Amino acid sequence: MRAEWQAHIDELLETYAKQREKLKDLQERLEAVEATGEAAEGLVKVTVDRQGRLRKLELNPRLGRKLGMEELSEAILEASDAAAALVAQQVQDAMADLRPDEDSKPGLDLARLMADPPTSIEDVRKHYGLLPK
């Protein structure tokens, strides 16, 4: 195998190993993601996990004197929506490291593997001895 090919393959393998480690770290961080949202001046608190599932609901005892049942229901939904938005932002932030840069090139660069990269299918056929049938 050509030395430049092997060097590029080694580089790709190194990149793969780093990305795999990042994915493992991300998975661990995502498992721990949760957030708490509040409503009704902090009298209602809702904690959700990374998938938006309710994990904890805290209702301040003063709520009964301040809110009716319909208002309480709205406050719970408002707090739940706030918590879900926080979780979504945490997940998006955690995944930011895995997104490619806007100006990054794809991992496999054929120009680096071949001294004179082909410009047409005919060049590829000639290079590899593939004759049209």
Side-chain angles (χ1 to χ4, degrees), residues 56-132:
K56 187 176 184 181
L57 173 61
E58 296 177 52
L59 303 174
N60 188 299
R62 295 183 298 150
L63 256 176
R65 294 183 295 243
K66 286 195 153 205
L67 300 177
M69 289 307 248
E70 187 174 321
E71 293 164 315
L72 174 60
S73 174
E74 289 174 11
I76 291 170
L77 290 175
E78 181 183 331
S80 180
D81 288 345
L86 289 170
V87 162
Q89 185 61 51
Q90 289 178 24
V91 169
Q92 188 173 11
D93 291 346
M95 296 181 72
D97 290 345
L98 295 178
R99 287 189 214 109
D101 297 331
E102 289 179 15
D103 54 324
S104 69
K105 295 180 181 178
L108 183 59
D109 185 357
L110 291 177
R112 289 179 58 196
L113 291 177
M114 302 177 82
D116 294 318
T119 57
S120 70
I121 191 66
E122 291 304 316
D123 290 344
V124 172
R125 287 184 177 141
K126 286 177 189 174
H127 181 77
Y128 290 104
L130 304 170
L131 301 174

Side-chain angles (χ1 to χ4, degrees), residues 15-52:
T15 301
Y16 167 76
K18 287 178 184 177
Q19 288 294 86
R20 187 172 178 208
E21 191 61 34
K22 282 183 181 181
L23 282 173
K24 182 182 172 192
D25 292 343
L26 173 64
Q27 187 175 16
E28 290 170 2
R29 287 194 327 240
L30 288 178
E31 287 178 16
V33 167
E34 68 175 32
T36 301
E38 297 182 7
E41 299 172 3
L43 297 176
V44 175
K45 295 181 181 179
V46 172
T47 302
V48 298
D49 66 9
R50 71 182 185 280
Q51 294 178 330

